[in-house]
Amino acid sequence: MKFGKQLAQLEESFPAPWRGTMLKYAPLKDRIKKCSHPESETCKKDDCDHGFFRELEDEVDRINRLFETIASATLQANRSLSPPGGCPCFPFLGKKKIKLSNGMTMEATPEMVAQYSRLCIDYARANAIALRKIIKKHDKHCHSRKGKDLLVKLWTDQTGRFSFLHSPLLIELAAVEITALESREGPVEVATPCNRTGSDLSSTPTPTPCVEASTPQADKSYMKIEDLRCPICLDIPFKPISLACSHIFCEDCLFKSCGKGRTLGTTRAILNTISHGAQCPECRQTDVFAKSVILSETTKMLQARHPDYWAERAAEVERYQQELRQIYEKKKENAMRGLRGFHPSYLIYS
């Protein structure tokens, strides 16, 4: 079956918020076929250069807005399942319905949250495959590299306009799905191999918790959330943080790598003190800390799956922070000792 028909069939299987919102693959393909000079080395016709890519970027923006709306609402619905403070005595304080789009709402139940998490991931995956294939068709027909350059631009973008390609929301949604399934069915087997071809949509609606890889070179495979590793310590990320470039690190590993390892404070406060020129330890992109995301749902899932490891890392971090507090207390004490006997009048009469 051709890809266009596969995409159309998959779109029909999605519920109302997604139906009719996939990438307009067939119209874009027809537009490519209308290119009047496919034999030239570089396609310079305005209708192809500007019209096709303008229409494609409009499509990507539309897809991304819908993905972010429903993904954010799904995560919000998941948080509403846990009453404030984690106390089960006040379940009425949690929201029962979450607004999606076009006036539609979603019931905040564990089953619905798990279903929407999987659908969000499948929606992002299908559109990412469609985007890559239509760009490849354009470059092949027009003998151009402009489509490939655009794909690299989309994958390295940090503005949030193309979140469905490499957003931390994908990791969070996978964690929510796993947690919801395990709460009903027990441990979920996540070692099932993911679809390695990246071009067949026939197996897209599966319960396997997988997310899109975070580089253009690796987008033909889907990373299993259980395989997450911090690139610095090469271990399971402890309190994981995702930078704007989508690379994920342990909280303490990340802070030490950018010179904030001896800083005390909340995670968000420390992130806000990191300069815009600081580089990602993995890809060396700059200005990636301002829009970083604290992966709270992934943290809960990893902590539940690896309690011994989590307790060991937590104790290690606590010891290190206790040592820092003692150092700061000594510095404060020495500074106060130096001020004893000081009087403001010394500044006037000295």
Side-chain angles (χ1 to χ4, degrees):
M1 184 184 297
K2 290 188 175 181
F3 178 80
K5 292 184 178 180
Q6 285 187 9
L7 188 64
Q9 288 185 0
L10 177 65
E11 189 170 11
E12 286 299 317
S13 69
F14 275 84
W18 289 277
R19 197 171 299 144
T21 63
M22 291 284 190
L23 184 79
K24 305 302 180 186
Y25 184 82
L28 288 169
K29 185 178 177 181
D30 292 340
R31 192 181 188 95
I32 293 173
K33 290 180 179 179
K34 292 178 181 178
C35 181
S36 60
H37 51 293
E39 300 301 326
S40 62
E41 291 186 1
T42 304
C43 183
K44 297 180 180 178
K45 190 174 178 63
D46 290 343
D47 183 57
C48 184
D49 280 358
H50 302 295
F52 172 79
F53 288 112
R54 183 171 60 249
E55 185 177 341
L56 182 62
E57 290 201 31
D58 289 344
E59 280 289 290
V60 171
D61 284 337
R62 176 185 59 78
I63 291 167
N64 194 69
R65 286 195 299 272
L66 179 65
F67 168 76
E68 283 197 333
T69 298
I70 301 181
S72 299
T74 302
L75 293 174
Q76 182 184 354
N78 182 68
R79 288 191 292 270
S80 74
L81 295 176
S82 301
C87 177
C89 302
F90 304 98
F92 56 86
L93 293 178
K95 293 184 179 180
K96 299 301 180 184
K97 291 186 178 181
I98 302 298
K99 184 177 179 180
L100 295 176
S101 60
N102 301 325
M104 300 187 66
T105 58
M106 177 181 71
E107 293 289 341
T109 63
E111 295 77 12
M112 189 62 69
V113 166
Q115 179 187 356
Y116 271 60
S117 297
R118 167 48 43 194
L119 288 170
C120 281
I121 295 171
D122 290 339
Y123 179 77
R125 176 180 185 265
N127 282 289
I129 294 172
L131 177 63
R132 186 178 67 247
K133 289 182 77 68
I134 199 66
I135 284 177
K136 184 178 179 181
K137 281 185 177 294
H138 169 273
D139 285 359
K140 182 178 180 180
H141 183 76
C142 298
H143 301 280
S144 171
R145 284 182 51 88
K146 294 180 181 178
K148 186 175 182 179
D149 293 340
L150 174 63
L151 191 61
V152 173
K153 173 188 171 184
L154 298 181
W155 274 99
T156 56
D157 180 81
Q158 299 174 17
T159 63
R161 289 181 57 204
F162 315 109
S163 297
F164 74 96
L165 292 174
H166 52 75
S167 172
L169 288 175
L170 291 166
I171 295 285
E172 289 286 83
L173 290 167
V176 168
E177 183 196 15
I178 292 173
T179 303
L181 290 174
E182 287 183 340
S183 66
R184 299 199 316 265
E185 305 170 4
V188 175
E189 178 60 49
V190 295
T192 304
C194 299
N195 180 10
R196 291 291 177 184
T197 64
S199 59
D200 182 14
L201 294 177
S202 59
S203 60
T204 294
T206 64
T208 306
C210 304
V211 294
E212 185 75 19
S214 59
T215 62
Q217 295 80 5
D219 67 349
K220 290 186 179 180
S221 64
Y222 273 60
M223 177 183 61
K224 291 174 286 188
I225 194 169
E226 190 71 3
D227 293 338
L228 281 177
R229 289 294 182 272
C230 171
I232 297 176
C233 67
L234 304 179
D235 214 330
I236 298 170
F238 177 73
K239 296 184 178 179
I241 297 175
S242 176
L243 300 182
C245 55
S246 295
H247 290 119
I248 298 173
F249 303 89
C250 300
E251 176 185 299
D252 52 325
C253 291
L254 181 63
F255 290 159
K256 289 176 182 178
S257 70
C258 59
K260 297 293 181 179
R262 298 175 67 86
T263 304
L264 292 175
T266 63
T267 303
R268 179 52 61 186
I270 297 176
L271 286 170
N272 290 338
T273 65
I274 300 175
S275 67
H276 293 288
Q279 297 178 333
C280 167
E282 179 77 2
C283 65
R284 301 302 177 186
Q285 290 190 62
T286 58
D287 198 18
V288 292
F289 288 88
K291 295 185 178 181
S292 56
V293 178
I294 301 171
L295 303 179
S296 56
E297 299 300 331
T298 308
T299 296
K300 294 177 185 176
M301 190 213 69
L302 293 175
Q303 184 176 7
R305 283 180 167 268
H306 310 281
D308 295 338
Y309 166 79
W310 213 263
E312 182 181 349
R313 286 292 297 269
E316 179 183 337
V317 171
E318 179 59 31
R319 285 195 299 270
Y320 181 73
Q321 291 185 346
Q322 187 63 30
E323 292 175 1
L324 288 181
R325 293 189 189 96
Q326 293 176 357
I327 293 173
Y328 290 150
E329 286 297 326
K330 288 183 180 179
K331 288 184 176 180
K332 180 180 176 181
E333 184 180 346
N334 292 335
M336 294 300 296
R337 186 180 296 114
L339 290 176
R340 290 174 186 172
F342 174 79
H343 193 275
S345 61
Y346 293 168
L347 298 175
I348 302 175
Y349 298 108
S350 59

